[in-house]
Amino acid sequence: MNKIEKEPSHTYTSVAESVFQVERSAWNNCANFIDDNRNIGNPFLSHEFFSCLEESGSVSKETGWISQHILLFEKGNSLIGILPNYLKNHSWGEYIFDQVFANAWENAGGKYYPKLLSAVPFSPVAGERFLIKKGYSRKFVIEKLLDALEDLKKFYKVSSAHINFINEPQLKVALKNKFWFERNNIQFHWSNQNYENFEHFLSKLSSSKRKTIRRERKEIHKSSVLIDIVKNDEIKNYHSKIFYNFYLSTIEKKWGGVYLNQNFWDLLIQYLKKRIVFIFSKQDGEFIGGAINLIDQNTIYGRNWGSIKDIKFMHFEVCYYQAIEYAIMNNLKKVEAGAQGFHKIQRGYLPTKTYSIHNFSNKNLSLAVQKFLNSERTQIGKELDLLMTKSPYKLS
């Protein structure tokens, strides 16, 4: 017999200007986040992760991320839904590029910023964006939170509202509101097909791709690079200092902005140590590179990487092959290796569609955006089909 999901007759919403205005247990009940040995729940949705961002100052008024988290309460002050949300005066750190919208708005004489964004800052990780307490109707809570978001949009008189990296089940509910438009993008994920070990995974690849991966890993071994996986209580405070230097080196190489400061990484270790897996590379006893990954019961999420030595194939080993081995050894279903990177395909990571939804205040612009996104989705679909033809896996 199906369990009936609650649709309370009396609810109300409010806006939290800080994650610390929400009790941690109440937030995590909505995020279905349990921080114990079971690793239940996406760590990027946890109160702890948002606390790291805010407490470190990486997310603040000064950095252009003003917290406006929308909360849905049942009568009696029980929190049953959350939409993490920000008022923003720029589009940095989002991984969904909306400059085309900004340019169109401003060319028409409007002011695109500020805007409202529902997302996990600096994290291109797909998942639930409407955090819903277990036992409550998804449709009911999403509709109530969308209504509150519309009210907030009108209150601030902003150009638009955006919800980035929403998962497909919640997308389908949200799109029943005709004023929200779907946008697609592509990431590259690895899927565990009950592999016994890395060699079993390789056996499913074409001969040429299998040889390439073996050659790349052999080169790393010949270069005397050693891999050191650090997790749980093995993680010490100095590991965040080491990794921050790698993070900075990547930022400098890519001419990007330093979104996450040293304090963020320190706090991440303090609050989410059980969910972190560091994969470091060492040479002659010295740390020379590394990647930070977060985990839940199903997935290892590759988040950031950096190195202070340029060694051929080290990036592939640390970020891709070691993550695959970790997933196989720990019976995880997926590796999500972050945004972009067509080169991931030949290493077993297949193209996967991601979703965002967008809402605009100006009706004329809305029609133009809708037309643009319809065309863009068609192109993304064709690109996805083309990329799948590049799959390294043997035909079954």
Side-chain angles (χ1 to χ4, degrees), residues 100-165:
V100 63
F101 304 150
N103 291 338
W105 192 279
E106 289 169 7
N107 287 338
K111 185 181 177 185
Y112 188 68
Y113 302 106
K115 65 176 185 178
L116 290 170
L117 174 71
S118 300
V120 181
F122 320 119
S123 304
V125 175
E128 296 178 344
R129 288 300 169 262
F130 301 89
L131 312 184
I132 302 170
K133 189 175 181 180
K134 206 167 185 180
Y136 287 83
S137 164
R138 175 197 293 161
K139 179 177 180 293
F140 177 84
V141 173
I142 289 176
E143 288 177 352
K144 291 291 184 181
L145 288 170
L146 281 177
D147 287 345
L149 181 59
E150 180 64 25
D151 290 341
L152 196 63
K153 184 161 70 79
K154 291 176 180 176
F155 175 80
Y156 282 114
K157 299 178 181 178
V158 295
S159 67
S160 52
H162 311 263
I163 303 178
N164 286 357
F165 294 106

Side-chain angles (χ1 to χ4, degrees), residues 7 79 166 173 175 178 220 228 239 260 289 303-304 395:
E7 294 187 4
L79 183 63
I166 186 172
V173 177
L175 285 179
K178 63 181 179 180
I220 287 295
D228 187 11
H239 287 118
L260 302 168
R303 186 58 200 92
N304 293 92
L395 295 176

Side-chain angles (χ1 to χ4, degrees), residues 9 45 53 73 85 109 121 124 141 165-166 255 281 288 311 320 323:
S9 55
L45 302 179
L53 290 165
F73 293 90
N85 188 57
V141 173
F165 294 106
I166 186 172
W255 300 89
S281 53
I288 60 171
I311 295 178
Y320 307 145

Side-chain angles (χ1 to χ4, degrees), residues 25 41 49 90 96 239 304 358 388:
S25 61
F49 190 81
H90 56 71
I96 298 291
H239 287 118
N304 293 92
H358 308 268
M388 283 301 294

Side-chain angles (χ1 to χ4, degrees), residues 360-374:
F360 297 86
S361 300
N362 184 286
K363 290 184 179 179
N364 290 330
L365 184 61
S366 290
L367 292 172
V369 167
Q370 186 177 27
K371 186 176 180 180
F372 168 80
L373 291 179
N374 288 341

Side-chain angles (χ1 to χ4, degrees), residues 23 62 104 111 206 209 220 252 272-273 276 286 311 364 370 375 392:
E23 185 183 353
E62 289 70 30
K111 185 181 177 185
S206 67
K209 296 299 187 291
I220 287 295
E252 289 169 0
L272 284 168
K273 181 182 288 188
I276 295 172
E286 177 190 2
I311 295 178
N364 290 330
Q370 186 177 27
S375 175

Side-chain angles (χ1 to χ4, degrees), residues 18-34:
S18 166
V19 67
F20 295 108
Q21 292 175 359
V22 184
E23 185 183 353
R24 182 170 67 89
S25 61
W27 180 294
N28 284 342
N29 280 341
C30 291
N32 190 31
F33 180 80
I34 302 172

